[in-house]
Amino acid sequence: MTLLVFMAPVWAAGPGGKVGLFTGQSDVGSVAPAGTSHYDSARAVYTLTAAGANTWYHVDDFHYLWKQASGDLALQADVSFPPRHYDHEPNPHRKGLLMIRQSLDTGAAYVDAAPHGSGLTALQYRRERGANSQDIELNIDLPRSVRLEKRGDVFTLLLSMHGEPLHQVGASVTLHLKEPFYVGLGAVSHDVTTTDVVEFSHVELQPLRPFASSQTLVLFSTLQSAQTEDQYRRSMMIATSRAELRSANWAPDGKSIYLYQDGRIVRIPYLTPEAGGTPEPVNTGSLVDCAPDFGVSPDGRSLAVSCSSTHGALHQVYLLGVDDAGNDARQVTRADVPSYFHAWSPDGQTIAFTRGKAGRADIFTIPAAGGDELRLTSDTLNDGPSYTPDGKFIYFDSQRSGSTQIWRMQADGAAAEQLTDDDCSNMGPQVSPDGKTVAFLSRPTVASEGIGEAALKVMVAGDGMIRTVASFQGQRDSFSTYAWGDNNHLAFVSYQRLPASYGGAP
């Protein structure tokens, strides 16, 4: 896990003249006519005017009011869009930006809090120079106040909608910027032929110290959907909670996502525009001690769970009706060793599960209707089986090569082959509905079993090319059950430990 060193920020002056708290201003990329920044000391308001195409993809075109800094800091402001001075509708994606940026180059790495004229707010970022931008979006009304915090390599978005205390909203990203970097305010019209105006009031730029050792930190969990196409790296915040969320399982109809929350299974309606509804507990009847290993059948009618019949008993795989969950649970596996569900075959006729204990487990299949088991592996630690859409292969993770890597075997366990071989622990492979992409969780080999550095990666099934979709604080159950919503969208869970006050009302 990366060691984060917290420092008080160091401010540095630059060319362009002082404007309020800031020491320089620049058009980053192409902005015509040139953008401007003005500070009204009587009103304590910064007014930025700018045209510019966008801050997105691998280049940026916007106006930036900045200063150089080092260390940990927070930038906060109320962002507003005054009445337009032109006779056509403004672009809904015009933006006011609170940005921390590596350099003034148009394709530089950055993180920003970006309220849009449409009301949408996003935490945008570019991991390295020339890469495509990514973001975490919230479909909300325009907030009154926005705050961007940098603590080491972790950037967090905080909002206040109506003047209540600023609180986290589930948007955070881990990204490294070398010191010194730039911090400041930006504006873009998202229309190269139009100059827009953005106002920033109640602007604060302050150093941050580490959270006090006496301060109790609370675990916040966030359910996100991530778009996997390289050109459109959009993530949507679906739900955030102080509860420990685990194991996102996207229902086959795409209308809900199942989660493991504080020892029980819940269903969150997936709303349009993208957001999560009120969690609905799943009734498991007399079953107890359910584990975060479950999944909805391909026809959407059955839910496989890994539970115990009584407290302290071994976990076994049971089937429940989705519409009448809790009634007449049917036991599928029977053994004197714990068994945990992992995958349905595409036709819904077979269940793949693991059986074993810490340090040693193997993969089995069994007819969903009941019958004889088939053992597929017989060595070391094997976990996370997932079928291909044609049912011919099973992807899984295994330690048989010395570290946890992604493997593939035929559905009967034959012809196992290793697919990843790097310095990370790679686990929980899930194959997209069209069979073209394999998503998996990747963690440093030195990571503990708990929450820490993690990445969601995708591998092209045809050529084995791998790229990172998201980097975050996670654990194995951040991505461990079937979480494809369609061929281009994944669900996963990230975590942060923050003061309780960052969560607003309990």
Side-chain angles (χ1 to χ4, degrees), residues 53-394:
N54 203 356
T55 52
W56 195 245
Y57 298 123
H58 59 279
V59 295
D60 304 312
D61 302 295
F62 73 106
H63 188 67
Y64 192 33
L65 176 61
W66 52 263
K67 72 187 314 178
Q68 285 188 292
S70 298
D72 298 329
L73 53 85
L75 177 60
Q76 179 177 326
D78 293 2
V79 183
S80 62
F81 299 86
R84 65 185 185 274
H85 57 275
Y86 43 84
D87 59 4
H88 60 85
E89 288 297 314
N91 190 292
H93 294 290
R94 57 181 175 158
K95 292 182 278 286
L97 308 171
L98 281 66
M99 179 179 283
I100 302 174
R101 189 177 183 89
Q102 185 64 77
S103 75
L104 299 178
D105 296 332
T106 184
Y110 74 88
V111 181
D112 70 35
H116 293 50
S118 65
L120 181 147
T121 298
L123 181 70
Q124 297 183 164
Y125 57 97
R126 181 182 295 123
R127 295 196 171 279
E128 59 188 23
R129 179 174 177 149
N132 275 337
S133 290
Q134 299 176 239
D135 73 6
I136 303 170
E137 298 180 11
L138 298 93
N139 278 318
I140 59 175
D141 294 331
L142 187 69
R144 176 183 293 183
S145 303
V146 181
R147 181 179 173 96
L148 179 62
E149 290 193 354
K150 175 191 178 296
R151 294 182 182 272
D153 289 347
V154 179
F155 297 80
T156 302
L157 175 65
L158 305 173
L159 301 179
S160 172
M161 300 303 298
H162 308 291
E164 77 279 6
L166 286 151
H167 53 276
Q168 70 87 32
V169 288
S172 67
V173 64
T174 301
L175 182 153
H176 181 69
L177 296 179
K178 296 184 294 184
E179 298 178 340
F181 45 79
Y182 291 80
V183 57
L185 308 174
V188 57
S189 70
H190 207 280
D191 181 347
V192 295
T193 64
T194 299
T195 298
D196 249 309
V197 178
V198 184
E199 291 187 344
F200 301 82
S201 58
H202 300 97
V203 176
E204 298 180 14
L205 179 59
Q206 58 190 164
L208 292 179
R209 295 182 178 180
F211 296 128
S213 58
S214 59
Q215 197 168 12
T216 301
L217 299 184
V218 175
L219 179 68
F220 290 92
S221 305
T222 298
L223 171 65
Q224 296 178 42
S225 67
Q227 199 164 355
T228 62
E229 298 124 305
D230 188 56
Q231 192 174 9
Y232 302 102
R233 295 290 191 87
R234 298 172 63 242
S235 293
M236 299 299 302
M237 200 286 291
I238 307 302
T240 187
S241 172
R242 291 192 195 182
E244 184 175 356
L245 306 179
R246 300 163 70 179
S247 302
N249 181 256
W250 213 320
D253 63 7
K255 296 180 179 179
S256 59
I257 299 175
Y258 287 74
L259 285 167
Y260 186 78
Q261 176 179 315
D262 288 344
R264 62 179 182 173
I265 300 170
V266 300
R267 185 181 72 88
I268 295 181
Y270 185 70
L271 306 178
T272 300
E274 295 94 331
T278 302
E280 305 166 353
V282 172
N283 179 16
T284 57
S286 62
L287 299 178
V288 295
D289 299 338
C290 295
D293 306 288
F294 55 89
V296 181
S297 61
D299 63 8
R301 299 175 61 184
S302 299
L303 177 67
V305 297
S306 308
C307 303
S308 303
S309 57
T310 59
H311 290 294
L314 296 176
H315 283 84
Q316 302 293 346
V317 178
Y318 294 83
L319 292 186
L320 306 169
V322 166
D323 295 330
D324 58 350
N327 298 321
D328 301 323
R330 178 166 62 84
Q331 186 172 346
V332 178
T333 62
R334 301 176 187 275
D336 57 2
V337 180
S339 300
Y340 299 91
F341 168 85
H342 274 283
W344 290 88
S345 62
D347 61 8
Q349 300 300 305
T350 305
I351 285 173
F353 66 95
T354 58
R355 176 174 290 149
K357 299 179 180 180
R360 180 65 184 261
D362 281 298
I363 299 170
F364 297 75
T365 60
I366 190 171
D372 295 333
E373 298 176 352
L374 176 64
R375 184 171 189 157
L376 304 186
T377 64
S378 299
D379 58 357
T380 185
L381 180 61
N382 303 278
D383 206 351
S386 174
Y387 282 92
T388 55
D390 59 11
K392 295 181 179 179
F393 295 94
I394 292 176

Side-chain angles (χ1 to χ4, degrees), residues 383-386 395-397 406-407 427-431 438-440 479:
D383 206 351
S386 174
Y395 284 77
F396 64 106
D397 60 73
I406 306 301
W407 289 67
M427 61 197 77
Q430 305 292 336
V431 188
V438 183
F440 59 92
F479 187 79

